[in-house]
Amino acid sequence: MSKYDGLERLAFLAQIELDILNNEIEIGDAVRLVRTKLYKMSQTRFANYVKVSDRTLRDIEKNNTDPRLSVLKKVLKPCGFVLTLKVMTRTVS
């Protein structure tokens, strides 16, 4: 299924997580990378695997939608990602 061994897989996922945190990629890009690089699945097969429609997965990967959290949880679960909320405060001068 994957060309990555355990440590390579963890490093790959850590880099994706870092790229998301640094706003270098969006969630859809991360899903596409995991689907293609780790799972080597077509969109149709991965959509069936995570129990979402092909169209939903396609829209997520193209960053053309604001999916519900429940849908994102389904899509991100096989990637090993957990959704969290980070509250950023801005100081007003």
Side-chain angles (χ1 to χ4, degrees):
M1 178 171 9
S2 170
K3 66 179 181 179
Y4 297 99
D5 68 19
L7 290 177
E8 291 171 325
R9 176 185 166 88
L10 290 175
F12 177 76
L13 292 171
Q15 184 61 55
I16 290 175
E17 183 178 3
L18 185 63
D19 290 346
I20 290 170
L21 289 172
N22 290 327
N23 293 317
E24 294 176 17
I25 64 173
E26 294 187 42
I27 296 286
D29 303 316
V31 171
R32 182 181 36 78
L33 284 169
V34 169
R35 174 183 62 80
T36 58
K37 303 288 185 191
L38 286 185
Y39 287 93
K40 301 204 179 294
M41 288 186 183
S42 67
Q43 280 183 329
T44 301
R45 187 169 173 210
F46 193 75
N48 287 333
Y49 179 65
V50 297
K51 296 179 178 47
V52 299
S53 73
D54 293 356
R55 182 181 178 110
T56 296
L57 181 60
R58 185 172 52 251
D59 286 343
I60 290 170
E61 288 188 0
K62 288 182 177 180
N63 298 302
N64 287 341
T65 187
D66 288 326
R68 298 177 111 177
L69 289 177
S70 59
V71 172
L72 276 178
K73 283 175 66 175
K74 284 182 183 182
V75 172
L76 294 174
K77 186 176 180 180
C79 307
F81 294 126
V82 176
L83 288 176
T84 59
L85 176 64
K86 181 177 180 180
V87 178
M88 307 273 299
T89 58
R90 262 187 357 201
T91 57
V92 179
S93 49

